Amino acid sequence: MLARALTGTGTRLTVIESADIGTVGVGEATIPPILDVLRFLGIDEADFVRHTQATYKLGIKFLDWKVVGHSYWHPFGAFGAPLNRRPFFHAWNRLRVAGHPLAFNDYSLCAALGDEVRFRFPEPAGDSAAVGLRYALHFDANLVAQYLRRYAEHLGVERIENTVLGATRLANGFIGALQFGDQSSLSADFYIDCSGFRGLLIEQVLGTGYLDWSTMLPCDRAVAFPTAPQVERPPYTQARARAAGWQWRIPLQHRFGNGYVYSSAYCSDEEARADLLATVAEAPVAEPRYLRFVTGRRRRYWNGNCVALGLASGFLEPLESTSIHLVTSGLNHLLEHFPDRDFDAGNIDSYNAELIAEAERVRDFIVLHYCLTERQDSELWRYCRTMALPDSLAERIDRYRGTGRVRPAAGELFTDLSWFYILDGMGVVPHGVDPMLGAVTDEQLKRFMAGVARANHLAMLTARPHDSYFGSRGGPAVAASRPT
Ligand SMILES: Cc1cc2nc3c(=O)[nH]c(=O)nc-3n(C[C@H](O)[C@H](O)[C@H](O)COP(=O)(O)OP(=O)(O)OC[C@H]3O[C@@H](n4cnc5c(N)ncnc54)[C@H](O)[C@@H]3O)c2cc1C
């Protein structure tokens, strides 16, 4: 992204990667803005899907989060259509409060497609319900890294394979030069620390500090293994709550990713591995991998002449597939704040304030999934029911309970609709209904909603089995093309 945006500015970019220290190797699920990133880069989506063994993602299906046996959707895209300029979920809530039986999938095209294991592309314009459809990708993170490496090298980014041992500091505290294991060094004006959890520059060299959020996001470990591809690859990520955390299942063209994110306070590594093996029907095709993390963020993302991106900047856990998005969002913010050699302090503060606000809002959204549980069957879930919440989150839940409204700040990643999906999915029914719908009678409302359901049904008719977009059983993908 930097190479693309900085072309012609005289900025030289060098990437340093260590052959001895691999990448974290996970990160397979994304959210819809990933498609904006591909467009920004000028990358053809069908080519990317083919080369990264990607599948389409219409949302996340959550199982067993409220109570065991219950499920709900966080679909991408529209839910119904606005009424009286109010989001459709107010109409849904009004009839819910009045006790009318309603079927969620009648109003969510993504959820309905997902449950039928079908997919279609959105319509670019017109009356079809498919105009409001949105999707993201599941992909093989290692293949994505290779793909983007080729892309960056083509744009003139230099790549050095070496291991950084440390860095010298200038009198003003800035980083002076990187020191490599082979005694060589490299000096630059500006450093981006993408070294993963270790935070090589931002923490080990600059000692920026880390804000630990594990009291509200207690999962701190994961175990993961791939299995062979299945014939039916669902067009969604599955997130099933387990005794000490939750389990993901992500379909790719050539394999399924399976992982158990858990809290070491309530489960040992061996128990987690045994639990995952016991609940995944297929045999692993590679050894299980263990990952450790502490949920939280760096106190500052930009310190002196160093910006931390990715896991070096913090980690919120993978429940809503936000981590890769936060990398690209960080890059967009960095381009808005790209420094000259003076490193204006106000510019740096502005970058930090924007990214901290973004991370805290995403944190609240992820904590929301845990704190509304009604599960009592394990220590983790009993803890989550009563854990202390950030004021910002507690206020939002109260506001929704009272008014059915969520008022996200401008530019928040998760809109009021996303908040509704989780709040509603976890069983929160507001006390009040939106008075703006007062001009519409229940009968008119029901007719309107029947029309929405019909439009969704029509849009389903041109959907195809999700598998039909790819070659069979990990074979070469059929080029998928999206209408433009
Ligand atoms: C369990 C789990 C599941 C996840 N699932 C998702 C998901 O579904 N969706 C999502 O968006 N995100 C997910 N993530 C996060 C995602 O994996 C990361 O955000 C993404 O892979 C970026 O990682 P990174 O580049 O910051 O770090 P890494 O992948 O760790 O890369 C670090 C790089 O720094 C280099 N390096 C490190 N030290 C040195 C050194 N001393 N010298 C030279 N080079 C060095 C390494 O060679 C490597 O290239 C998940 C994370 C975890 C832990």
Side-chain angles (χ1 to χ4, degrees):
M1 286 175 76
L2 292 179
R4 177 93 175 174
L6 295 171
T7 300
T9 63
T11 312
R12 277 182 48 212
L13 295 166
T14 306
V15 168
I16 298 148
E17 278 187 288
S18 168
D20 303 329
I21 305 168
T23 61
V24 66
V26 280
E28 299 175 330
T30 64
I31 51 178
I34 191 72
L35 303 182
D36 299 330
V37 173
L38 295 184
R39 275 190 284 277
F40 171 78
L41 296 176
I43 288 174
D44 176 64
E45 189 184 307
D47 186 66
F48 185 80
V49 164
R50 220 172 14 249
H51 283 95
T52 61
Q53 296 283 343
T55 66
Y56 299 107
K57 173 180 172 186
L58 292 166
I60 305 176
K61 188 163 184 177
F62 292 95
L63 309 169
D64 300 340
W65 285 79
K66 181 171 178 264
V67 289
V68 174
H70 174 266
S71 68
Y72 73 96
W73 271 94
H74 178 189
F76 302 135
F79 185 61
L83 181 63
N84 245 14
R85 293 186 300 150
R86 309 303 299 148
F88 180 80
F89 66 80
H90 290 290
W92 162 274
N93 275 337
R94 168 150 148 213
L95 291 189
R96 283 254 293 186
V97 169
H100 293 278
L102 298 169
F104 183 88
N105 285 14
D106 282 349
Y107 313 108
S108 169
L109 182 56
C110 287
L113 286 169
D115 279 332
E116 293 202 5
V117 202
R118 292 201 284 162
F119 179 77
R120 58 159 299 162
F121 289 101
E123 291 293 336
D127 295 336
S128 166
V131 172
L133 188 150
R134 292 188 80 204
Y135 66 98
L137 302 173
H138 304 112
F139 51 47
D140 179 326
N142 290 316
L143 295 178
V144 170
Q146 286 168 26
Y147 191 102
L148 294 180
R149 173 182 164 187
R150 285 193 297 277
Y151 177 94
E153 285 181 330
H154 180 71
L155 284 186
V157 174
E158 190 187 345
R159 178 176 175 275
I160 296 176
E161 206 168 283
N162 213 333
T163 301
V164 179
L165 291 188
T168 57
R169 306 279 295 272
L170 302 175
N172 62 358
F174 280 25
I175 293 172
L178 303 179
Q179 297 169 311
F180 296 111
D182 62 4
Q183 312 296 320
S184 63
S185 65
L186 179 84
S187 126
D189 296 312
F190 188 42
Y191 298 87
I192 302 179
D193 185 347
C194 310
S195 62
F197 288 127
R198 56 188 63 74
L200 186 71
L201 301 179
I202 196 80
E203 200 58 59
Q204 291 180 22
V205 173
L206 296 174
T208 303
Y210 195 76
L211 221 57
D212 182 335
W213 285 339
S214 48
T215 55
M216 47 194 144
L217 290 171
C219 290
D220 58 354
R221 299 269 203 284
V223 55
F225 58 73
T227 48
Q230 299 303 298
V231 187
E232 276 217 318
R233 305 170 185 92
Y236 57 86
T237 301
Q238 181 180 292
R240 182 186 289 278
R242 308 279 314 157
W246 62 276
Q247 189 174 324
W248 81 72
R249 186 154 169 88
I250 297 178
L252 304 182
Q253 291 183 40
H254 61 325
R255 61 172 160 82
F256 270 53
N258 309 277
Y260 185 8
V261 177
Y262 55 99
S263 166
S264 60
Y266 305 111
C267 176
S268 70
D269 291 347
E270 189 39 47
E271 283 167 331
R273 180 175 162 277
D275 197 342
L276 186 63
L277 280 167
T279 48
V280 174
E282 311 85 34
V285 292
E287 277 302 302
R289 295 190 52 213
Y290 292 95
L291 299 128
R292 292 174 169 221
F293 52 86
V294 179
T295 50
R297 67 163 175 87
R298 293 282 161 229
R299 286 190 183 278
R300 276 181 291 164
Y301 295 103
W302 185 335
N303 186 357
N305 61 344
C306 175
V307 159
L309 275 183
L311 300 173
S313 70
F315 187 50
L316 285 167
E317 83 138 88
L319 186 56
E320 281 281 354
S321 326
T322 43
S323 196
I324 293 169
H325 171 77
L326 291 174
V327 174
T328 56
S329 170
L331 284 165
N332 280 324
H333 284 274
L334 181 57
L335 288 168
E336 296 291 327
H337 291 85
F338 205 75
D340 58 20
R341 289 188 178 82
D342 290 339
F343 286 97
D344 179 81
N347 184 56
I348 295 175
D349 289 347
S350 163
Y351 177 88
N352 280 323
E354 286 175 22
L355 286 208
I356 288 169
E358 179 171 50
E360 290 185 349
R361 290 171 195 148
V362 174
R363 174 204 64 196
D364 284 2
F365 186 66
I366 296 176
V367 176
L368 181 74
H369 298 63
Y370 284 91
C371 70
L372 296 175
T373 187
E374 293 169 18
R375 286 182 65 151
Q376 303 257 27
D377 55 300
S378 72
E379 267 188 80
L380 171 80
W381 295 110
R382 286 193 292 275
Y383 171 79
C384 290
R385 286 165 62 101
T386 53
M387 67 187 172
L389 303 181
D391 290 345
S392 47
L393 173 58
E395 280 161 20
R396 239 177 221 194
I397 297 172
D398 284 350
R399 164 105 55 111
Y400 182 80
R401 277 193 213 281
T403 65
R405 292 185 177 130
V406 184
R407 301 292 302 146
E412 253 185 63
L413 174 61
F414 292 107
T415 61
D416 55 350
L417 185 56
S418 284
W419 281 78
F420 157 77
Y421 286 138
I422 310 306
L423 286 156
D424 184 76
M426 292 299 284
V428 182
V429 181
H431 306 309
V433 294
D434 195 314
M436 295 286 286
L437 290 185
V440 185
T441 65
D442 274 7
E443 279 317 304
Q444 287 170 323
L445 204 51
K446 278 195 249 175
R447 268 203 303 281
F448 176 78
M449 291 178 77
V452 169
R454 262 195 312 278
N456 269 356
H457 179 70
L458 270 180
M460 298 277 297
L461 297 178
T462 42
R464 297 193 341 232
H466 184 225
D467 268 337
S468 72
Y469 289 84
F470 319 109
S472 59
R473 291 221 155 230
V478 177
S481 58
R482 174 197 159 102
T484 47

